[in-house]
Every structure is written in C-alpha cells, then in structure tokens.
Amino acid sequence: MGYATALKNDSRISLLVVDDLGSNLELMEAMFIPEGFDVSSVQSGTEALEIFRKRDFDIAIVDVMMPGMNGFELCERIKEMSGNRFFPVVMLTALNDKKNKLAALERGADDFISKPFDKAELVAKIRSLVKLKTLQDELDHSENIILTLAVALESRDPYTKGHSVRVGEMAKLFGEYLGLSDKDQESLRKAGYLHDIGKIAMSEQVLQKKDDLSEEEMNKIRRHVIVGEEICRPLESMKFILSAIRYHHERWDGKGFPEGLADEEVPLMARVLSIIDSFDAMMSNRPYREKKTLNEVMDIMSRERYSGQWDPALTGYFIDMARARGKEFYADD
C-alpha cells in the first residue's frame, strides 16, 4: 500500500530506517514517531531488503557507513527493486566530503544529510520527498487509466479490437528501425496506444456504420484527434506525444485534418503513426471491406508511396522493414 492509498486508511507515512547502530535507530524513532510516522528500523542492508520485499514503504533513510552491504549499495538495490516507480532514498552519514555526496547521488540517492543534522530540516525534507512521490504515483495512476481506456474503447467495435495496441507496438519497432532513441521509441509506442482515444466521445453507430458517412458524421470523426489531445494534455508525462495524437491524420500533400499541415510541417511521430495506422487498417477487417494480405498491402503502399498521403521517404523505410521481417512482423491469419 503506497502513500496515495495510505491516505485513505492511515495518515501515517511509512518510513524505513537503516543504520547498524541501535542508538541511532532509537534516535530516529524518537524523532519521527511523535511526528506521526510509521517507522520500521533495521540494522543491516540484508534486513532492509528482506523487509522492503514484504512491505510498501513511502521513503527510506539509509546510513552510509555500515558493515557488509554499505548504504551506497543498499540505495542502488532499493532503486533497482522499485523499477520505474519513484521511491525516495535519503542518505545519512557523518562524512561531509564532496566525494561521498557524489557517490550517493550516482547510486540514485534523492537527498543527502550529514550528521549532526537539524531535526526540523530532516523532517521537512522527508515530508517534501514523500509529497513528490505521492504526486508521481497519482500521475502514473492517471496515465494507466488513460491507457486502459484506450484499449477498452476498442471493445465497443469488433472491427478495431487490438488496433491501438498493434499500432503502438509496430510504431515502436519502426522507431527502432529508424534509429530513434529509446525515449522516442517508447513515446511512439504510447502515442500508438492513444492515437484514437478521442473516439471515446463518438457513438457506436458512427464508429460501426457501413454506409457512407454524412458531412456531420465526418466532422465528428475528424474532431477525435482534437478530443484525444485534450484528454491527454493534463498529464506531464503525455506532453511528448500530444502532437502525434493531434496530427496523425494530416497528409504529406496538406489535404489532411485537423489543420491541413503539409510535408515536414507534420511532426515526425505523427507521420510515423499515419503510416502504421493505414497499414494496420488495411490488414484488418472493417465494416466496409475485408482485410488484405501482407503482400497486397505492401504492393498498395509501394504504388501509393508518392500519392500524397504519407511521407514518401518514411514509407519507403517502412516497406523495407515490413518486407524484410515478413510474417514475423505481421502474420496473416
């Protein structure tokens, strides 16, 4: 149970204190328990890792100079066990030299306090770091909700079930093929998952309509890219993919929507998604037509590479990748 959850049931902050000296542990308990903290104290790195596996803590205070596993190594192990989740670690030591401070930061420490310390300063720093962790947990939770909604959206329409997940995974693979950074590859994956999230505001009648759409219905469909951007904009972690969501229906020739951007005015991630989105659509059954085979889709994209819909250079790279990987990339049913 993390701190965000704990607020509902238990207002205390759960604190792990690690120090080989019992007197120092007693001092920490005397300092933090009256402040309303739930304190767990252990005297070695091994004990700390054992209890850390069993309980959810909000923060840890770790002494640097301990026999066996020192504080630097313990901090690094705690950070590894936390994975992508932000877990704050404060290093505590009598040493006050620059070398140890740098060593602590290199191992992932979030703050560094030297003995003797000021009680009010230490308590304030701990509360501040826990508040930061709470905000991070809330952002991660909100992002997971939006990603889940994107997948759940497709359950309304059997013709697009799995489409967003496939677009996300293929976009990441294409980003890797293009030599993009790991961060950009992950952004492409996330943008692929969320590129159609704005359709959550549309009716199933429009989404699954087999006949020609009216102008009013077409306008609703065109607006889904704007709605999708608006849904994701409040989250800081989504800021790198907003343009991909908004502009993935723009065209190379400037005849797309919502703003009629052309050529390299269209952001790179949006140009990538446009290609992947079209590819997966042709490979899938839709209300108005049956799916095509991989070879058929490759032939179509080769013929229409310069038709104005897609970035021709990126389309060429995509065709090369898809042909090279064949059914390992996208298997026909």
Side-chain angles (χ1 to χ4, degrees):
M1 180 178 65
Y3 182 58
T5 305
L7 285 175
K8 300 176 184 178
N9 305 311
D10 189 344
S11 60
R12 295 180 299 171
I13 295 171
S14 56
L15 169 64
L16 174 63
V17 182
V18 190
D19 196 310
D20 61 308
L21 296 179
S23 58
N24 288 342
L25 294 179
E26 291 174 2
L27 175 63
M28 288 291 179
E29 290 172 358
M31 181 186 304
F32 284 102
I33 290 176
E35 294 287 337
F37 287 70
D38 177 13
V39 181
S40 295
S41 303
V42 294
Q43 291 185 271
S44 72
T46 302
E47 290 179 281
L49 294 178
E50 184 177 346
I51 193 173
F52 190 77
R53 291 187 184 97
K54 297 176 181 178
R55 284 192 56 187
D56 269 347
F57 290 95
D58 296 311
I59 193 166
I61 299 176
V62 177
D63 187 46
V64 169
M65 303 303 291
M66 295 187 295
M69 185 187 305
N70 64 34
F72 297 136
E73 183 180 351
L74 175 59
C75 176
E76 190 170 40
R77 294 281 297 277
I78 287 175
K79 290 292 185 174
E80 288 175 356
M81 291 170 65
S82 300
N84 293 327
R85 180 174 63 96
F86 172 61
F87 182 83
V89 177
V90 175
M91 303 295 289
L92 188 63
T93 180
L95 301 175
N96 195 29
D97 60 285
K98 184 177 180 180
K99 179 180 177 181
N100 278 281
K101 289 185 177 181
L102 290 175
L105 294 173
E106 287 172 357
R107 298 299 184 98
D110 299 283
D111 210 334
F112 188 100
I113 296 181
S114 301
K115 302 175 185 175
F117 50 81
D118 181 81
K119 172 187 173 182
E121 178 188 2
L122 179 56
V123 172
K125 285 189 174 184
I126 295 299
R127 290 192 184 280
S128 177
L129 283 168
V130 170
K131 188 176 295 184
L132 179 61
K133 177 182 181 295
T134 303
L135 292 173
Q136 186 68 48
D137 288 345
E138 289 173 351
L139 283 175
D140 290 344
H141 183 60
S142 299
E143 180 176 313
N144 287 335
I145 288 175
I146 291 179
L147 288 167
T148 301
L149 278 174
V151 176
L153 167 68
E154 294 179 350
S155 66
R156 301 165 61 200
D157 182 358
Y159 292 100
T160 60
K161 188 174 182 180
H163 170 68
S164 291
V165 173
R166 291 193 300 270
V167 169
E169 297 305 322
M170 283 189 287
K172 185 178 186 299
L173 286 174
F174 191 31
E176 180 183 7
Y177 184 82
L178 293 172
L180 301 183
S181 67
D182 290 345
K183 181 179 179 181
D184 286 341
Q185 291 175 37
E186 181 58 25
S187 293
L188 275 171
R189 184 188 68 83
K190 194 180 296 183
Y193 273 50
L194 295 170
H195 74 286
D196 278 341
I197 186 66
K199 288 183 178 178
I200 201 166
M202 295 170 56
S203 68
E204 293 183 16
Q205 288 76 12
V206 173
L207 289 174
Q208 300 180 24
K209 188 174 181 179
K210 297 181 179 180
D211 301 327
D212 292 340
L213 297 173
S214 67
E215 185 62 27
E216 181 182 358
E217 290 168 334
M218 282 301 302
N219 287 334
K220 288 181 180 179
I221 287 181
R222 293 187 185 106
R223 182 164 169 72
H224 83 272
V225 296
I226 298 173
V227 173
E229 182 195 31
E230 290 172 348
I231 290 172
C232 297
R233 186 185 297 128
L235 292 181
E236 178 71 16
S237 60
M238 299 287 191
K239 68 180 182 181
F240 299 108
I241 67 171
L242 294 180
S243 63
I245 293 172
R246 183 181 181 92
Y247 298 122
H248 73 275
H249 277 294
E250 298 287 2
R251 291 172 53 104
W252 187 251
D253 59 12
K255 297 179 181 178
F257 62 88
E259 295 176 22
L261 302 182
D263 301 339
E264 294 186 0
E265 290 178 335
V266 184
L268 175 62
M269 285 191 185
R271 282 180 271 150
V272 168
L273 285 189
S274 174
I275 294 168
I276 306 289
D277 188 28
S278 298
F279 171 80
D280 190 74
M282 287 187 279
M283 293 290 297
S284 307
N285 285 317
R286 291 297 167 93
Y288 43 86
R289 56 148 178 80
E290 293 184 353
K291 68 179 182 179
K292 302 181 184 302
T293 67
L294 179 59
N295 286 334
E296 287 173 337
V297 174
M298 289 294 93
D299 289 343
I300 291 171
M301 295 187 80
S302 295
R303 289 196 308 269
E304 298 184 4
R305 177 179 170 184
Y306 297 98
S307 67
Q309 180 171 356
W310 311 298
D311 178 333
L314 283 179
T315 304
Y317 289 130
F318 178 78
I319 292 170
D320 290 343
M321 182 189 73
R323 288 196 186 279
R325 299 196 178 188
K327 292 190 176 183
E328 292 181 7
F329 174 66
Y330 200 111
D332 299 334
D333 292 335

